[in-house]
Amino acid sequence: MRRISIVKRFYYLFLEIKRELAIKSEFNELVNKTTDNRFQINWSDRFIYLNDNTKDTFFDAHYIYHPAWAARIVKKLNFEKHIDISSTLHFAAIVSAFKTIEFYDYRPANLNLSNLTTNFADLTKLPFKNNSIQSISCMHVIEHIGLGRYGDPIDPKADLVAMGELKRVTQVGGNLLIVVPVGKPRIQFNAHRIYSYELITNFFLKDGIFKIEDFLLIPDDSIKNGNKLNASAEEVNSQYYGCGCWHFVKVK
């Protein structure tokens, strides 16, 4: 085993050296073809990327598809204002182009854009009254709460408290967008939790307080085979690190 490992290391080193030599050759080609003086070109000032010369553009399916899903819902609902709790800043920034949005985070973001305000919030103690928010999202956030990754206290049940807070502040008739990693339930410390379909669904549907308006699964193979609207619990739970997107409506 050790011998194979050493061989692999030398092979990867060989590939890296080969790529760097190719880059130096391309640099020399650029210099030789440059016929004006618009830019200084110095090898000592290089900023090399070795992994971008690919057939297709790579992207993180979770963080491309879930904001796109949520932005379309917010646009369709067309409420006066949307509240977002700690989701990716790209979502808040883009939605602010067509909707007033308030962004809250445990680590506030100093982001200056029209229609966008930012502030501090602890998801386990949201600063909103009961049944007060018409449109709210919390995406790829709940799975981190209580694991210490972002400086918050260690608390194994903090995610449940956070979900309870989201339930509390959503008004009757209001819309709540929840996104978490899905698959076999487990904690990958200190990054995140991964939830089964039932862990999220049952928490919000118990007592008939919420209903599911829409559910989207971003599966492990989404880049190749696409996403699945209203996927079954079995499909969700069979993922290794999928992404579950719930659109809940509070009914009582």
Side-chain angles (χ1 to χ4, degrees):
M1 283 296 280
R2 185 177 175 185
R3 184 165 175 261
I4 293 174
S5 177
I6 292 173
V7 170
K8 280 187 175 180
R9 262 184 265 169
F10 275 109
Y11 176 68
Y12 292 138
L13 178 62
F14 166 74
L15 290 180
E16 186 173 339
I17 293 172
K18 184 178 179 181
R19 286 196 297 266
E20 288 181 354
L21 289 174
I23 288 292
K24 185 63 183 292
S25 176
E26 290 177 0
F27 173 81
N28 291 333
E29 182 182 0
L30 174 66
V31 171
N32 292 332
K33 287 182 175 179
T34 299
T35 58
D36 58 40
N37 60 356
R38 290 183 302 133
F39 303 103
Q40 290 185 351
I41 311 175
N42 297 302
W43 179 249
S44 61
D45 196 28
R46 63 189 178 277
F47 200 143
I48 301 297
Y49 286 90
L50 296 175
N51 300 311
D52 289 339
N53 185 3
T54 58
K55 179 182 178 182
D56 301 307
T57 298
F58 171 81
F59 60 92
D60 185 327
H62 283 221
Y63 282 90
I64 292 296
Y65 285 127
H66 92 250
W69 166 82
R72 283 160 172 77
I73 291 174
V74 171
K75 188 174 187 296
K76 180 180 178 181
L77 293 174
N78 199 30
F79 293 125
E80 182 179 348
K81 179 174 68 175
H82 182 75
I83 304 291
D84 182 76
I85 311 295
S86 301
S87 305
T88 172
L89 281 171
H90 297 91
F91 171 73
I94 290 171
V95 168
S96 70
F98 59 85
K99 185 64 54 184
T100 299
I101 184 167
E102 295 178 9
F103 175 85
Y104 295 85
D105 199 289
Y106 195 76
R107 306 168 305 154
N110 185 23
L111 188 60
N112 298 300
L113 289 169
S114 60
N115 294 329
L116 174 63
T117 58
T118 65
N119 214 328
F120 168 84
D122 181 343
L123 187 45
T124 64
K125 302 172 186 175
L126 288 177
F128 309 115
K129 295 179 180 179
N130 295 351
N131 299 301
S132 61
I133 300 178
Q134 194 174 34
S135 181
I136 182 170
S137 56
C138 185
M139 303 183 294
H140 254 311
V141 178
I142 292 167
E143 67 267 22
H144 304 299
I145 307 301
L147 299 183
R149 176 175 172 179
Y150 295 103
D152 53 320
I154 297 295
D155 182 351
K157 295 186 177 181
D159 60 326
L160 299 177
V161 176
M163 289 191 287
E165 281 290 274
L166 293 167
K167 289 175 68 173
R168 177 183 68 81
V169 302
T170 305
Q171 73 178 44
V172 176
N175 295 261
L176 170 61
L177 306 181
I178 296 286
V179 173
V180 296
V182 293
K184 180 182 179 180
R186 61 196 189 277
I187 292 177
Q188 294 182 310
F189 186 81
N190 68 347
H192 49 241
R193 300 172 182 85
I194 296 174
Y195 296 84
S196 69
Y197 179 83
E198 292 84 1
L199 281 175
I200 298 297
T201 300
N202 293 347
F203 187 92
F204 285 96
L205 297 192
K206 65 183 178 182
D207 304 322
I209 296 175
F210 281 84
K211 69 174 183 176
I212 298 177
E213 187 72 14
D214 181 28
F215 174 76
L216 178 72
L217 171 64
I218 303 169
D220 294 334
D221 61 356
S222 64
I223 293 178
K224 180 180 179 181
N225 295 319
N227 303 319
K228 296 186 177 181
L229 189 63
N230 298 320
S232 68
E234 290 74 22
E235 288 179 290
V236 175
N237 297 339
S238 69
Q239 306 303 308
Y240 177 76
Y241 182 71
C243 184
C245 308
W246 282 264
H247 174 190
F248 292 110
V249 174
K250 194 170 187 178
V251 294
K252 70 176 183 179

